[in-house]
Amino acid sequence: MAKSAFPPGPDLQAGDTVARCDSHSKVTGLARFAADEYPEGLLFAGVKRALVPHGLLRTLNSARTLQEPGVVAVLTARDISGSNRQGIIHKDQPVLIEDRVRHRGDALALVLAESRESLEKGLDLIEARIDPLPGVFDPEEALKEDAPKIHEKGNLLCHALIEKGSAEKALESCDVVVEDVFAVPFQDHAFLETQNGIAQMGADGGVTLTVSTQAPFRDRFEIAHALGLDVGAIRVVSPYLGGGFGGKDGATVQCFLALAALHSKGRPVKMWWSREESFLAGYKRHAARMRFRLGARKDGTFEALSAIFHFDAGPYAHLSVEVMELGMEHAAGPYRIPHTHLEGYCVYTNNPIGGAMRGFGITQATFGIERMVDLLAARLGIDPLELRLKNAVRRGDLNGAGVALGHSTGIIPCLEVLRSHPLWVSRHEWKAQAGLFTKRGTGIAAVSNAIGYGRGLPDAASAKVELKSDGRFLIYSGVPDMGQGNAAAYVQIAGEILCQTAGTIEIVQPDTALSLPSGSSSASRTVFTFGNAMIKVCESIRKRLLIWACQFLLVDDVATLVLLPGRIRHAPSGREIPLRLLAQFFSPQDRTFVESYVMPVARDAPDTGKEFPLGFPHTIFSYGAHLVRVEVDVLTGKANVLDYVAVTDGGRILNPQGFEQQIHGGVAQGLGYALMEEILLSEGRILNPDFTTYLIPSTMDVPDIHSDAIQTTEKEGPFGMKGVGEIGTLGPLPAVSAAVEDAVGHRLNQSPLTPPRILEVIRT
Amino acid sequence: MAKSAFPPGPDLQAGDTVARCDSHSKVTGLARFAADEYPEGLLFAGVKRALVPHGLLRTLNSARTLQEPGVVAVLTARDISGSNRQGIIHKDQPVLIEDRVRHRGDALALVLAESRESLEKGLDLIEARIDPLPGVFDPEEALKEDAPKIHEKGNLLCHALIEKGSAEKALESCDVVVEDVFAVPFQDHAFLETQNGIAQMGADGGVTLTVSTQAPFRDRFEIAHALGLDVGAIRVVSPYLGGGFGGKDGATVQCFLALAALHSKGRPVKMWWSREESFLAGYKRHAARMRFRLGARKDGTFEALSAIFHFDAGPYAHLSVEVMELGMEHAAGPYRIPHTHLEGYCVYTNNPIGGAMRGFGITQATFGIERMVDLLAARLGIDPLELRLKNAVRRGDLNGAGVALGHSTGIIPCLEVLRSHPLWVSRHEWKAQAGLFTKRGTGIAAVSNAIGYGRGLPDAASAKVELKSDGRFLIYSGVPDMGQGNAAAYVQIAGEILCQTAGTIEIVQPDTALSLPSGSSSASRTVFTFGNAMIKVCESIRKRLLIWACQFLLVDDVATLVLLPGRIRHAPSGREIPLRLLAQFFSPQDRTFVESYVMPVARDAPDTGKEFPLGFPHTIFSYGAHLVRVEVDVLTGKANVLDYVAVTDGGRILNPQGFEQQIHGGVAQGLGYALMEEILLSEGRILNPDFTTYLIPSTMDVPDIHSDAIQTTEKEGPFGMKGVGEIGTLGPLPAVSAAVEDAVGHRLNQSPLTPPRILEVIRT
């Protein structure tokens, strides 16, 4: 691992497990989340939801609401001076409905009230007449000519294509071709802290929001565009998030809050969606249907792949196009496949809104490609792990999208760890020892996950660090920490380079008035991109402080000075100047340092991707090989996960514990996706909008997860690392599906693998 | 010349003559100097001078002063809580005399008054009884055992030695040895704006000074030490100076002003030395006596040099040691001399205080060595130019101090320009054509001048530049512009790298509250050191702005953006973002950039210098070859300079006009030193303390000076340049002396070459 030239601080060394800087405050309850903010004099804001999947808003009567004691204001689309449209890339989502309702969560009116109770009453009293229109709830149905049109331009949001070689022709000449269809449902992010925030207008007319958000800097533009405000008049503060997982990447409460603040006469306004509202109106991982055909030679060499996706975008674009396209980019898995035809249809429906979620389309695609590899292995009688190894990409190969892999590429070593793993070696013996009414199976999956935004969007970050007057350092983070621990990583990077101790480095969470634009907390990019900027700024600080110390220690040669915890030492003489003394000679501004980093983009981008305005292709990937052992209760159909092994190539590891936590968390969330999490819909209505009916894994459902790492060195990564925030979610569904098939002898291509579904295949 | 990668701005290109940013304001009188400040409610401060060269202060009675209307306060040493000592390196100079008076300019008491008139009266009414002590006014006399002791430790301030090889032994075996003695007098800086400033205490107890100073950041330490204040409580603002030349490098009015501000009940205080007071109390170029012995082979190859210096420090150290040592370091000239013995005695006397002045010891030493080369040339019958060429250093040689010359070394090409110069080629013919009662002669000199502080002191600068909200740039200079034009150079550097136009780049002069410590305006270092920091900060800004623009233009590849005047352009699409718009997304702090530069020091410093605590050795030198044609009026003894040619190696030229102005100014000041400038002393009393008796060259005395340049490329220098602020002063004295000798046939080793002195040698 790359080390700085100076002796490390005692407790923040890169590569060591370091206690998270936020652990104490979070464990003791001292950490403040947006939801904890109850400023004096606040008003509560809430929205009236349509609760109709498709229709035309005819009348909206708020007369009775306004008579309700405690109700302060009712705002409708007419109160909005801006575009009244939000959406990260495609701005097609009204903040408040003008005429057409497109899903049950659409907001009709915003109510401000003195208390939660009067808010509830006020919302109940709004009378909305909506003339229902026929709805459409399946993307393939929505593409039919006679389907109800949800938007004027029709229901096809995007048709995208990745084409390399001649897949159709190659499939015809393959020795063997396997084909299958997969379906995945909507998944909820199920974060602890639901969407919420507060907002207040200042004396200068500016609006300050404190929001649980993954993209505070982008939020300013969303709000400004929707409400017709000046971007500079909007300040967004993003404290620690109680979970995000992509569900807070984009406007949720933001535009409502800013609108409320414009009409609250200077009083602060709070909006906090209930769990049910979060289910109803929040973004979801997309439901999708995928048709795969994989062709190979007899010896197992992959020749051609065709994959056709139908992504259910719900009624508004949000990031649906980008999610589907990232899935398509990963649809060939971490394999060499000379001919690929990857085609995607992203379609509007009257279902909930599809959006970003950890894995971002790759989760869906990986289910398909990995199960296809298993199917091919079975057909050819080749061990599925050996088949993967045979076709796995090496550095220098072209990936399925035609991009040359010039960065660290560690899928083969990951698979090799599994090959010799006791759980793999003993799988047949272990399977044979299954007890009464149980069946055992082992499944594997090979996964890859792009790091960063890819081409078209600048993947940039600007890290800002202040030497405070007391000699401590203060990091101004530019990307939110939604729980993944990036704040701790930044502190560790600063500690390593500045040779300081944990107690002397503080970090503040993003605030558009203090931090610098550094993109969103997403795309497995935060420690990679902002971390690289941190390295640059800390190196700058170190150099600068040594130069400054020269001037006060009257030393002519910077190289004779060493930055040590709390002080700078002239090594030859032992003379020292404390950092707190040095700091006093400079203004706070002059002690504040900024450096920026931009992630490299593919310069030799192939012309394989069509209709990809943004994000294609990527060049840096993390890799992993997962193994799961499942025991199926043949009486109930319940698949119990007994063991899980995740071997990851995330480059060099900055903090082993932080790394492991990300893998554990990702696998746990992936197991929920594999086994139980499914938004049940009926005509666009969520049938299980709470945690008594929408199940997520509890600690009792998650096995001990064994995380192992292949430490490749990613030269572009900070200290050689790559992002691992998402990759853990990719393996569980295909691996569990394979393990269940291994156990019960039947394929299950519709996720999640709930007991009824398993029971059904067992009984057929 | 090194060019930035982008198309240059139309009017600030490096290498082009660019109008000085301060020219308009100075020509129109709008520029404000410290002397222009007359804040409302100000008090005038002045000091009572001892007017006794050596003595003991017995009583000091200010009773009558305090009764004088308009007198506000009389302060003495007893009112000072600090050390009451100033001095840049050696703190041996009292701010106000406690007991011993050491020269006529010593300050006894500080008076504050409502008007200049009441101040004058008040000063006159102070009754000081000083018991005279025998004085000593010659450094060699002062070293005798029975000489009056000026300081307790004796009169030897410093004895320094540079020893390389075995000079004494080598001199014994030389084919030829020449020997001579030289003497130079004190010289006054004669700046237009005499020492002055204002000071005021703020509500927080801090003191802000606006002073005509070359070293605002160091001033804070001088004041803090002397008065017992906290450095952080002192702010020094340094507007454009009306000349400095070294005479404002160190405390002049600073401690008096700060002391006055502590006792003025919040009122501003102004102190402005009259011309006579400036002569009396200001620092001077050192008088010196120098004994040289130069040995060579018959073919002219230099073999050994012995030079012994006696520098007259006056009563306080100030920078005397450092000045003498820099002279010693240059005493072997730009020549290869294998054996050198350079010995210096820096001695206290009761004369005026010796200090820094343009040329800094080198001016004195160059007189000696250059005339020795001429003497040797005459003795050997070798052309003096050819003898210089034969022995001139080349890159890679060891210089006289034993330091390997690793940087650009252009003395030989400079000399070669002279060799073929018409004025040199035609010198014999021209001499023969002298008219009645005139004699003609041509003289040359080869010079070198170190750049920067040398070892021991950090030669560092931190440049700060802000992108303002209107899209313009603001430079916070850290080193004063005393007229040399460094501010214009910084603007040009910013314009070149940032590709902006002159009207969009502003510069503020140093202010310790806004700028960053960047050393003093001295040592031919300002454009070199601060300019290198400017290059770094401008490169940083360019990179940063392009990254930021990426984020607003949604461009993924920084390389496709170009910084243009007032805007950033996406070259492929032509889309642009104005800088003023970009600026609005960032706080002033985030739009303010700082970078630091430290000049390299000799890492292989030879062990030749003894008793050199600071500054030895240097590694980067500018070079020059000067030629002068003089016509002597044999009736009056007046030497008229008819032509002057200065060929300079100052590296690549940033601004040809600025370069030429520095050479012209240096030569003019050097001609004054050669021909007329001499502080006449009698028992420590200056006999010519004004411009009617102390003559400096007028425009009528200065010929057209022809400046030519050998543009070597100094890799360490900004855009390849080296400093030329001082080198012009070095040539005139030896060259004029040689020309006069050529004309009249007699050597004159006592400068300046006034008509009486010339007449005296003509008549002998």
Side-chain angles (χ1 to χ4, degrees):
Chain A
M1 182 157 309
K3 284 287 166 94
S4 67
F6 290 99
D11 57 359
L12 287 174
Q13 204 163 327
D16 284 357
T17 280
V18 162
R20 284 172 61 145
C21 59
D22 54 339
S23 55
H24 182 265
S25 67
K26 284 183 176 170
V27 166
T28 56
L30 291 172
R32 290 185 76 81
F33 299 82
D36 291 325
E37 300 302 331
Y38 285 88
E40 210 163 326
L42 67 74
L43 293 173
F44 291 87
V47 285
K48 178 74 178 178
R49 302 287 175 183
L51 301 183
V52 168
H54 199 193
L56 290 172
L57 176 63
R58 294 304 186 187
T59 61
L60 190 65
N61 185 347
S62 55
R64 289 175 62 204
T65 300
L66 288 166
Q67 287 163 12
E68 174 67 25
V71 167
V72 173
V74 178
L75 303 167
T76 67
R78 279 190 291 267
D79 298 301
I80 294 178
S81 313
S83 68
N84 187 30
R85 289 294 178 280
Q86 55 191 12
I88 296 171
I89 314 283
H90 316 264
K91 295 205 179 291
D92 62 0
Q93 180 177 5
V95 179
L96 290 171
I97 293 304
E98 293 145 9
D99 46 10
R100 186 187 289 256
V101 168
R102 295 184 181 87
H103 86 128
R104 291 176 45 88
D106 271 346
L108 306 179
L110 176 68
V111 176
L112 276 62
E114 296 284 352
S115 68
R116 281 204 176 95
E117 294 68 30
S118 49
L119 175 63
E120 287 307 315
K121 280 188 198 160
L123 288 169
D124 284 346
L125 291 171
I126 288 179
E127 291 161 10
R129 188 164 71 78
I130 300 171
D131 290 350
L133 291 169
V136 61
F137 306 101
D138 177 280
E140 288 178 77
E141 290 296 319
L143 287 180
K144 291 183 177 163
E145 266 200 21
D146 57 350
K149 296 267 171 295
I150 299 170
H151 290 273
E152 272 182 24
K153 62 172 184 177
N155 295 337
L156 180 63
L157 169 56
C158 172
H159 173 226
L161 197 60
I162 294 175
E163 211 145 27
K164 188 178 68 147
S166 311
E168 283 304 322
K169 225 170 109 185
L171 281 167
E172 280 170 27
S173 60
C174 281
D175 295 335
V176 57
V177 174
V178 291
E179 181 169 356
D180 219 335
V181 177
F182 303 87
V184 290
F186 284 104
Q187 183 185 16
D188 193 80
H189 303 86
F191 26 62
L192 263 177
E193 183 196 24
T194 53
Q195 296 88 337
N196 80 95
I198 59 165
Q200 187 167 16
M201 191 161 73
D204 60 354
V207 176
T208 298
L209 294 92
T210 301
V211 190
S212 193
T213 177
Q214 293 174 230
F217 286 93
R218 192 212 298 131
D219 286 347
R220 295 184 304 169
F221 288 90
E222 286 278 38
I223 296 166
H225 188 278
L227 304 187
L229 300 179
D230 180 15
V231 173
I234 302 164
R235 174 181 179 185
V236 180
V237 181
S238 162
Y240 283 118
L241 277 68
F245 309 116
K248 293 168 181 170
D249 189 8
T252 58
V253 297
Q254 287 89 326
C255 295
F256 297 130
L257 276 172
L259 177 63
L262 295 177
H263 293 86
S264 69
K265 300 190 168 67
R267 292 175 66 179
V269 184
K270 184 179 183 81
M271 175 181 267
W272 189 358
W273 293 358
S274 68
R275 181 63 60 189
E276 290 70 18
E277 193 170 18
S278 175
F279 266 93
L280 175 63
Y283 309 111
K284 307 279 173 277
R285 187 194 298 285
H286 295 82
R289 210 166 293 140
M290 309 173 281
R291 290 153 214 271
F292 275 77
R293 282 183 297 155
L294 177 62
R297 290 190 227 153
K298 271 185 203 146
D299 67 355
T301 305
F302 296 169
E303 284 292 332
L305 173 71
S306 165
I308 296 171
F309 296 85
H310 284 83
F311 265 61
D312 187 343
Y316 303 114
H318 191 59
L319 286 169
S320 295
V321 174
E322 293 69 33
V323 168
M324 181 183 77
E325 289 178 347
L326 196 71
M328 290 166 62
E329 193 182 343
H330 288 74
Y335 305 113
R336 277 174 281 110
I337 309 182
H339 303 276
T340 52
H341 172 94
L342 313 170
E343 189 171 8
Y345 297 88
C346 200
V347 188
Y348 288 123
T349 69
N350 297 114
N351 284 326
I353 308 169
M357 185 170 175
R358 195 181 200 176
F360 205 88
I362 315 173
T363 321
Q364 292 93 321
T366 303
F367 182 33
I369 181 67
E370 283 304 286
R371 296 303 287 127
M372 293 307 292
V373 174
D374 289 334
L375 185 57
L376 186 69
R379 184 75 57 87
L380 291 169
I382 299 178
D383 178 285
L385 200 154
E386 297 304 328
L387 185 61
R388 285 173 167 87
L389 269 170
K390 182 182 187 70
N391 291 283
V393 286
R394 297 170 188 275
R395 188 167 172 177
D397 284 343
L398 297 187
N399 70 8
V403 181
L405 299 172
H407 291 265
S408 57
T409 306
I411 181 61
I412 289 175
C414 287
L415 286 165
E416 282 169 345
V417 169
L418 284 196
R419 176 154 66 176
S420 59
H421 198 285
L423 298 187
W424 182 249
V425 172
S426 66
R427 66 191 185 282
H428 302 299
E429 189 185 346
W430 174 77
K431 180 178 177 174
Q433 292 166 353
L436 202 60
F437 302 119
T438 59
K439 286 176 181 288
R440 287 175 165 180
T442 301
I444 57 168
V447 297
S448 66
N449 195 119
I451 309 303
Y453 292 152
R455 278 223 72 153
L457 271 179
D459 201 331
S462 294
K464 175 168 161 182
V465 177
E466 179 184 352
L467 169 63
K468 301 199 322 172
S469 61
D470 62 1
R472 291 158 180 260
F473 292 90
L474 178 61
I475 301 167
Y476 295 87
S477 174
V479 282
D481 189 333
M482 44 184 170
Q484 73 265 58
N486 57 28
Y490 307 149
V491 169
Q492 189 172 8
I493 288 171
E496 163 75 21
I497 297 174
L498 296 172
C499 191
Q500 302 299 305
T501 57
T504 61
I505 301 175
E506 295 162 30
I507 184 163
V508 290
Q509 287 300 296
D511 175 340
T512 59
L514 300 175
S515 319
L516 291 162
S518 299
S520 53
S521 187
S522 64
S524 297
R525 66 181 287 278
T526 64
V527 177
F528 197 100
T529 307
F530 195 84
N532 268 323
M534 277 297 299
I535 288 178
K536 288 176 77 177
V537 75
C538 291
E539 293 287 3
S540 284
I541 292 173
R542 189 164 63 76
K543 284 183 201 151
R544 187 78 52 76
L545 295 184
L546 295 181
I547 289 175
W548 285 351
C550 270
Q551 292 172 280
F552 293 96
L553 291 171
L554 298 184
V555 165
D556 64 1
D557 185 359
V558 178
T560 60
L561 294 183
V562 194
L563 181 56
L564 295 173
R567 65 204 193 279
I568 291 172
R569 184 179 178 88
H570 181 233
S573 71
R575 287 184 300 132
E576 295 188 339
I577 183 166
L579 293 180
R580 67 172 186 287
L581 181 59
L582 189 62
Q584 285 165 23
F585 294 113
F586 298 90
S587 71
Q589 174 175 319
D590 296 331
R591 287 185 260 113
T592 303
F593 302 78
V594 174
E595 289 291 345
S596 300
Y597 169 79
V598 190
M599 197 157 165
V601 288
R603 294 215 170 235
D604 54 348
D607 188 24
T608 51
K610 323 292 184 207
E611 309 287 333
F612 281 82
L614 292 172
F616 177 83
H618 293 75
T619 58
I620 305 176
F621 296 83
S622 290
Y623 295 91
H626 290 198
L627 176 151
V628 66
R629 295 216 296 198
V630 166
E631 196 168 64
V632 177
D633 182 326
V634 297
L635 300 180
T636 63
K638 183 162 194 297
N640 294 301
V641 176
L642 300 185
D643 295 285
Y644 202 98
V645 178
V647 187
T648 309
D649 161 26
R652 308 301 290 182
I653 294 173
L654 186 63
N655 180 338
Q657 193 179 67
F659 176 89
E660 191 177 67
Q661 286 168 348
Q662 279 291 56
I663 300 299
H664 284 185
V667 168
Q669 202 161 25
L671 287 173
Y673 188 57
L675 292 164
M676 58 190 81
E677 293 189 47
E678 175 176 24
I679 301 261
L680 298 171
L681 289 167
S682 169
E683 301 270 299
R685 176 175 180 181
I686 299 176
L687 303 176
N688 51 348
D690 55 54
F691 288 155
T692 55
T693 52
Y694 180 93
L695 298 184
I696 60 174
S698 74
T699 53
M700 299 302 289
D701 299 305
V702 179
D704 281 349
I705 298 162
H706 307 280
S707 167
D708 202 349
I710 299 301
Q711 296 208 35
T712 62
T713 296
E714 173 44 51
K715 290 220 174 85
E716 185 66 26
F719 296 101
M721 64 83 74
K722 297 189 280 194
V724 294
E726 300 176 274
I727 193 164
T729 61
L730 306 180
L733 174 54
V736 165
S737 173
V740 168
E741 181 180 2
D742 184 32
V744 305
H746 295 280
R747 292 175 71 73
L748 254 171
N749 290 350
Q750 163 82 53
S751 75
L753 282 73
T754 55
R757 288 202 178 103
I758 293 175
L759 214 52
E760 191 187 332
V761 296
I762 290 174
R763 286 180 181 168
T764 55
Chain B
M1 181 156 308
K3 285 287 167 92
S4 66
F6 291 98
D11 57 358
L12 288 173
Q13 204 162 326
D16 284 356
T17 279
V18 163
R20 283 174 61 147
C21 58
D22 53 338
S23 55
H24 181 265
S25 68
K26 284 183 177 169
V27 166
T28 56
L30 291 171
R32 290 185 76 81
F33 299 83
D36 292 323
E37 301 300 332
Y38 285 89
E40 208 163 328
L42 68 70
L43 293 173
F44 291 87
V47 286
K48 178 74 178 176
R49 302 287 176 185
L51 302 183
V52 168
H54 200 193
L56 291 171
L57 176 63
R58 293 304 187 188
T59 60
L60 189 65
N61 185 347
S62 55
R64 289 177 60 207
T65 299
L66 287 167
Q67 286 162 11
E68 173 67 24
V71 167
V72 174
V74 178
L75 302 166
T76 67
R78 278 190 291 269
D79 297 301
I80 293 178
S81 313
S83 68
N84 189 27
R85 288 295 178 280
Q86 54 191 13
I88 295 170
I89 314 283
H90 315 264
K91 296 205 177 292
D92 62 0
Q93 180 177 3
V95 178
L96 290 171
I97 295 303
E98 293 146 10
D99 46 8
R100 183 185 291 255
V101 169
R102 294 186 181 89
H103 86 129
R104 290 175 46 87
D106 271 346
L108 306 178
L110 176 67
V111 176
L112 277 61
E114 297 284 351
S115 68
R116 282 205 176 96
E117 295 68 29
S118 49
L119 175 63
E120 287 307 316
K121 283 189 194 158
L123 287 169
D124 283 346
L125 292 171
I126 288 180
E127 292 162 9
R129 188 164 72 77
I130 300 171
D131 291 351
L133 291 170
V136 61
F137 306 99
D138 177 280
E140 287 177 80
E141 290 297 320
L143 286 179
K144 291 183 176 161
E145 265 200 21
D146 57 352
K149 296 267 173 291
I150 299 171
H151 289 274
E152 272 184 25
K153 62 172 184 177
N155 294 338
L156 181 63
L157 169 57
C158 172
H159 173 225
L161 197 60
I162 294 175
E163 214 148 23
K164 188 179 68 149
S166 311
E168 283 304 325
K169 227 170 109 186
L171 281 167
E172 281 171 27
S173 59
C174 280
D175 295 334
V176 55
V177 173
V178 290
E179 181 168 356
D180 218 335
V181 177
F182 303 87
V184 289
F186 285 103
Q187 183 185 16
D188 193 80
H189 303 86
F191 26 63
L192 265 177
E193 182 196 24
T194 54
Q195 298 88 337
N196 81 95
I198 58 165
Q200 187 168 15
M201 189 161 73
D204 61 352
V207 176
T208 298
L209 294 91
T210 300
V211 190
S212 193
T213 177
Q214 295 176 228
F217 286 93
R218 192 212 297 132
D219 286 347
R220 294 184 304 168
F221 288 91
E222 286 280 37
I223 296 166
H225 188 278
L227 304 187
L229 299 178
D230 179 14
V231 173
I234 302 163
R235 174 181 178 185
V236 180
V237 181
S238 162
Y240 282 118
L241 276 67
F245 309 116
K248 294 170 181 169
D249 189 10
T252 58
V253 298
Q254 286 88 327
C255 296
F256 296 130
L257 274 173
L259 178 61
L262 296 177
H263 293 85
S264 69
K265 301 193 170 64
R267 292 176 65 179
V269 185
K270 183 179 184 80
M271 174 179 268
W272 189 358
W273 293 359
S274 67
R275 180 64 59 190
E276 290 70 18
E277 191 169 19
S278 176
F279 266 94
L280 175 64
Y283 309 112
K284 307 278 173 278
R285 188 195 296 287
H286 295 84
R289 210 165 294 139
M290 309 173 280
R291 292 153 211 273
F292 275 76
R293 283 184 295 154
L294 177 61
R297 291 190 225 151
K298 272 188 201 145
D299 68 354
T301 306
F302 296 169
E303 283 291 332
L305 173 72
S306 165
I308 296 171
F309 296 86
H310 284 83
F311 265 62
D312 187 342
Y316 303 114
H318 191 59
L319 285 170
S320 296
V321 174
E322 294 68 33
V323 168
M324 181 183 78
E325 290 178 347
L326 196 70
M328 291 167 60
E329 192 182 345
H330 288 72
Y335 305 114
R336 277 173 281 109
I337 308 182
H339 302 276
T340 52
H341 173 94
L342 312 170
E343 190 171 5
Y345 297 87
C346 200
V347 188
Y348 288 123
T349 69
N350 297 114
N351 284 327
I353 309 169
M357 185 169 176
R358 196 179 198 176
F360 207 87
I362 314 173
T363 321
Q364 293 93 323
T366 303
F367 182 33
I369 181 66
E370 283 305 285
R371 297 301 290 127
M372 292 307 293
V373 174
D374 289 334
L375 187 56
L376 187 68
R379 184 76 55 88
L380 291 169
I382 298 178
D383 178 284
L385 201 154
E386 298 303 328
L387 185 61
R388 284 174 168 86
L389 269 169
K390 183 182 185 72
N391 290 283
V393 286
R394 296 171 189 274
R395 188 167 172 178
D397 283 344
L398 296 188
N399 71 7
V403 181
L405 299 173
H407 293 264
S408 57
T409 306
I411 181 60
I412 289 174
C414 287
L415 287 165
E416 283 170 345
V417 169
L418 284 196
R419 176 154 61 175
S420 59
H421 197 282
L423 298 186
W424 183 247
V425 172
S426 67
R427 66 191 185 283
H428 301 301
E429 189 184 347
W430 175 77
K431 182 176 176 175
Q433 294 166 350
L436 202 60
F437 303 119
T438 59
K439 288 177 180 285
R440 287 176 165 182
T442 302
I444 57 166
V447 298
S448 66
N449 196 117
I451 309 303
Y453 292 152
R455 278 224 70 155
L457 271 179
D459 201 332
S462 293
K464 176 168 158 181
V465 177
E466 179 184 350
L467 169 63
K468 301 199 322 172
S469 60
D470 62 1
R472 290 157 181 261
F473 291 90
L474 178 62
I475 301 168
Y476 294 87
S477 173
V479 284
D481 188 334
M482 45 184 170
Q484 72 266 57
N486 55 29
Y490 307 150
V491 168
Q492 190 172 9
I493 289 171
E496 164 75 20
I497 297 174
L498 296 173
C499 189
Q500 300 299 305
T501 57
T504 61
I505 301 175
E506 294 161 29
I507 183 162
V508 292
Q509 287 300 296
D511 175 340
T512 60
L514 298 176
S515 319
L516 291 161
S518 299
S520 52
S521 186
S522 64
S524 296
R525 67 180 286 278
T526 64
V527 178
F528 197 100
T529 307
F530 196 83
N532 266 323
M534 277 298 299
I535 288 179
K536 288 175 76 176
V537 75
C538 290
E539 292 287 2
S540 283
I541 292 172
R542 191 164 62 76
K543 284 183 201 152
R544 189 78 51 77
L545 296 185
L546 294 182
I547 290 176
W548 285 350
C550 270
Q551 292 172 280
F552 293 96
L553 291 170
L554 298 184
V555 165
D556 64 2
D557 185 0
V558 178
T560 59
L561 294 184
V562 193
L563 181 55
L564 294 174
R567 65 204 192 278
I568 290 171
R569 182 179 178 87
H570 181 235
S573 72
R575 287 184 299 133
E576 296 188 340
I577 182 167
L579 294 180
R580 67 172 187 287
L581 180 60
L582 190 62
Q584 286 166 23
F585 295 114
F586 298 91
S587 71
Q589 173 176 320
D590 296 332
R591 286 185 262 112
T592 304
F593 302 78
V594 174
E595 288 292 343
S596 299
Y597 169 79
V598 191
M599 198 158 164
V601 289
R603 294 217 168 234
D604 54 348
D607 189 25
T608 50
K610 326 288 185 210
E611 307 288 333
F612 281 82
L614 292 173
F616 177 84
H618 293 74
T619 57
I620 304 175
F621 297 83
S622 291
Y623 295 92
H626 289 199
L627 176 150
V628 68
R629 294 216 296 199
V630 166
E631 196 167 64
V632 177
D633 181 325
V634 296
L635 301 180
T636 62
K638 185 162 190 298
N640 293 301
V641 176
L642 300 186
D643 295 286
Y644 202 98
V645 178
V647 187
T648 309
D649 161 26
R652 307 302 287 183
I653 295 173
L654 186 61
N655 181 339
Q657 190 177 71
F659 175 89
E660 191 178 65
Q661 285 168 348
Q662 279 289 57
I663 300 300
H664 285 185
V667 168
Q669 202 161 25
L671 287 173
Y673 187 57
L675 292 164
M676 57 188 83
E677 293 189 47
E678 175 175 24
I679 300 259
L680 298 172
L681 289 165
S682 168
E683 302 268 302
R685 178 176 178 179
I686 299 176
L687 302 176
N688 51 348
D690 53 55
F691 288 156
T692 55
T693 51
Y694 181 93
L695 298 184
I696 60 174
S698 73
T699 52
M700 300 300 290
D701 300 304
V702 178
D704 281 348
I705 298 162
H706 307 280
S707 167
D708 201 349
I710 298 301
Q711 295 206 37
T712 63
T713 296
E714 173 46 50
K715 291 223 176 84
E716 184 66 25
F719 296 102
M721 63 82 75
K722 297 189 281 195
V724 293
E726 300 175 272
I727 193 163
T729 61
L730 306 179
L733 175 54
V736 165
S737 173
V740 169
E741 181 179 3
D742 184 31
V744 304
H746 295 278
R747 291 177 69 74
L748 257 170
N749 290 350
Q750 164 82 53
S751 75
L753 282 72
T754 55
R757 287 203 178 103
I758 293 175
L759 214 51
E760 191 186 335
V761 296
I762 290 175
R763 288 179 179 170
T764 54

